């Protein structure tokens, strides 16, 4: 089932509004340095020759760190063009970065990636239609043997963010949604402190694409 144009427009308008009315340090997901994301990517096998995509990257500093480390190809996808402009403006060299303004659920990848990183994008997809659209894109974009690092609110984390409902996960429920194409490799709990001192409980799970049959929801 295709998503309606109105739903996609509303979703994009929401995030464009966030990034045009607030600085990146005024949003709950801001972190000065993406230390955990870098650690998880390195544990997943990150080396400079690999291609990496950051889903829902917004104005995150992860792209800065990857470029500084000499990563050969980095893509950053976000609904908000304003967020990507903010991230791009910080970088002196963007020759190896692809900026993609799109909703991940309808995006068509133009390459395969070694690593997929998603810090707090997937949990905003609260319907089976959206979730399975995301998983189909993930399956197309990630190489067999590639790793996906996906961070969501934990089961005891917030049930809303930026005024929107979220779906909370533990590693097992996230594995069940992703299906047999992906094998759960590692998990980690994380407590993120917002700029105003609130603690948000996350779980990060790393999955390997192994191929195999799609989940029943994708058929």
């Amino acid at each position: 089932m295709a998503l309606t144009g109105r739903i996609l427009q509303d979703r994009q308008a929401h995030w464009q509004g966030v990034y045009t009315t607030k600085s990146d340090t005024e949003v709950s997901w801001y972190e000065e340095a993406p230390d955990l994301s870098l650690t998880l990517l390195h544990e997943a096998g990150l080396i400079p020759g690999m291609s990496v995509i950051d889903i829902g990257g917004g104005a995150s500093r992860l792209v800065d760190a990857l470029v500084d480390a000499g990563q050969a190809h980095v893509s950053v996808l976000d609904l908000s063009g304003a967020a990507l402009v903010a991230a791009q403006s910080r970088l002196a060299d963007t020759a190896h970065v692809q900026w993609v303004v799109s909703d991940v659920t309808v995006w068509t990848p133009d390459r395969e990636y070694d690593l997929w990183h998603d810090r707090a994008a997937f949990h905003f997809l609260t319907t089976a239609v959206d979730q399975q659209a995301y998983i189909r894109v993930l399956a197309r974009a990630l190489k067999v043997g590639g790793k996906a690092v996906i961070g969501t609110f934990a089961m005891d984390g917030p049930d809303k963010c930026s005024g929107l409902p979220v779906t909370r996960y533990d590693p097992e429920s996230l594995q069940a949604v992703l299906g047999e194409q992906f094998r759960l490799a590692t998990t980690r709990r994380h407590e993120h402190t917002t700029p105003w001192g609130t603690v948000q409980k996350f779980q990060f799970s790393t999955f390997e694409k192994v191929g195999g049959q799609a989940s029943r929801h994708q058929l």
Side-chain angles (χ1 to χ4, degrees):
M1 181 186 298
L3 298 174
T4 68
R6 178 62 182 272
I7 291 173
L8 295 173
Q9 290 172 6
D10 288 350
R11 201 143 66 196
Q12 187 166 35
H14 174 86
W15 292 109
Q16 186 73 351
V18 168
Y19 283 105
T20 53
T21 58
K22 298 180 180 181
S23 73
D24 61 342
T25 62
E26 295 175 318
V27 295
S28 64
W29 51 92
Y30 170 75
E31 54 183 3
E32 185 174 350
D35 294 334
L36 178 59
S37 292
L38 288 172
T39 295
L40 295 174
L41 287 170
H42 281 294
E43 289 178 356
L46 178 68
I47 57 175
M50 288 182 169
S51 56
V52 184
I53 184 162
D54 188 16
I55 299 297
S60 163
R61 266 87 173 145
L62 180 59
V63 64
D64 310 53
L66 292 172
V67 169
D68 288 345
Q71 207 61 42
H73 182 84
V74 181
S75 295
V76 185
L77 179 146
D78 201 89
L79 279 161
S80 170
L84 298 185
V85 167
Q88 187 173 2
S89 68
R90 297 192 306 261
L91 301 178
D93 180 9
T94 61
H96 301 292
V97 182
Q98 179 186 28
W99 307 95
V100 183
V101 180
S102 181
D103 188 307
V104 64
T105 62
V106 296
W107 175 55
T108 301
D110 62 1
R111 67 176 65 224
E112 288 187 316
Y113 292 87
D114 297 291
L115 294 169
W116 172 287
H117 174 269
D118 173 348
R119 176 180 177 262
F122 183 69
H123 66 198
F124 284 107
L125 304 179
T126 58
T127 69
V129 170
D130 277 343
Q131 292 161 3
Q132 295 308 311
Y134 175 109
I135 294 164
R136 285 192 293 271
V137 174
L138 169 60
R140 287 197 297 267
L142 194 63
K143 297 176 181 177
V144 173
K147 302 286 183 61
V149 176
I150 301 177
T152 70
F153 283 146
M155 298 299 288
D156 54 349
D159 58 8
K160 286 188 176 181
C161 182
S162 189
L164 300 176
V166 301
T167 300
R168 296 175 290 186
Y169 293 94
D170 57 22
E172 293 74 22
S173 60
L174 187 54
Q175 170 72 88
V177 172
L178 292 184
E180 295 178 4
Q181 293 181 90
F182 302 96
R183 179 185 64 84
L184 180 63
T186 64
T187 68
R188 184 173 303 192
R189 293 268 300 181
H190 175 66
E191 293 189 353
H192 167 68
T193 303
T194 69
W196 42 91
T198 302
V199 174
Q200 297 177 329
K201 295 182 180 180
F202 278 80
Q203 69 85 29
F204 282 79
S205 298
T206 300
F207 296 87
E208 179 181 357
K209 182 182 174 183
V210 295
Q213 297 180 348
S215 76
R216 63 184 177 85
H217 302 290
Q218 292 175 261
L219 300 176

